[in-house]
Amino acid sequence: MTQLPNRRLLHDRLVQAIAGSRRTGMYGALMLLDLDHFKPLNDQYGHAVGDLLLIEVADRLRASVREVDTVARLGGDEFVVTLASLHEDAATSVGQARTIADKILDALSRPYMLTPDMRAPQCIQHHCSASIGVAVFSVAPTACV
């Protein structure tokens, strides 16, 4: 529905980000997002409208990150963003992750105009924000023996 990677592909991309961090010494980040006010929309208008919101959220998430980053949907109203190759400096990487998280939160907080049925268009305006957690990571290169 959202055309986002599933859990298996997310796992693969996270393993790649960790391997890249080990190889390059650059930091990465993992973001967990949970939509606020999703259940009331689903309860009031049904799953078809909830699905439209999830599709729009997926589009906004993809537009908020770089091509090398990964956006995936865990299920329900939960999403994951993996940021690869941020910077070699911890403080700079934390700043980059914070900037991207702010960009995501801003994009997700804009009003959604959802049209569930093209034959009888009734536009539903919905406001939705998200809760987001961010973990910045770095993996030290392994020494060759």
Side-chain angles (χ1 to χ4, degrees), residues 34-51 53-54 57 73 75-79 112 114 124 126-130:
D34 184 55
L35 297 181
D36 303 323
H37 314 297
F38 177 72
K39 186 173 176 355
L41 177 76
N42 237 8
D43 291 346
Q44 184 174 357
Y45 296 104
H47 294 289
V49 174
D51 290 349
L53 177 66
L54 294 174
V57 166
R73 181 170 165 235
D77 62 349
E78 297 173 330
F79 293 84
Y112 295 84
L114 307 170
I124 299 164
H126 182 70
H127 295 275
C128 182
S129 56

Side-chain angles (χ1 to χ4, degrees), residues 9 22-23 29-30 45 51 60 70 72 76 79 88-89 91 94 98 107 115 120-121 126 144:
L9 184 54
R22 181 177 293 117
R23 188 178 61 255
L30 184 67
Y45 296 104
D51 290 349
R60 291 182 188 191
T70 300
F79 293 84
E88 294 173 350
D89 177 66
V94 167
R98 179 174 285 131
T115 307
H126 182 70
C144 296

Side-chain angles (χ1 to χ4, degrees), residues 54-102:
L54 294 174
I55 292 166
E56 180 65 25
V57 166
D59 291 344
R60 291 182 188 191
L61 287 172
R62 275 193 295 263
S64 298
V65 298
R66 305 165 300 172
E67 258 187 57
V68 298
D69 301 324
T70 300
V71 177
R73 181 170 165 235
L74 286 181
D77 62 349
E78 297 173 330
F79 293 84
V80 176
V81 176
T82 302
L83 305 176
S85 304
L86 290 175
H87 198 273
E88 294 173 350
D89 177 66
T92 302
S93 296
V94 167
Q96 289 174 318
R98 179 174 285 131
T99 298
I100 294 168
D102 288 343

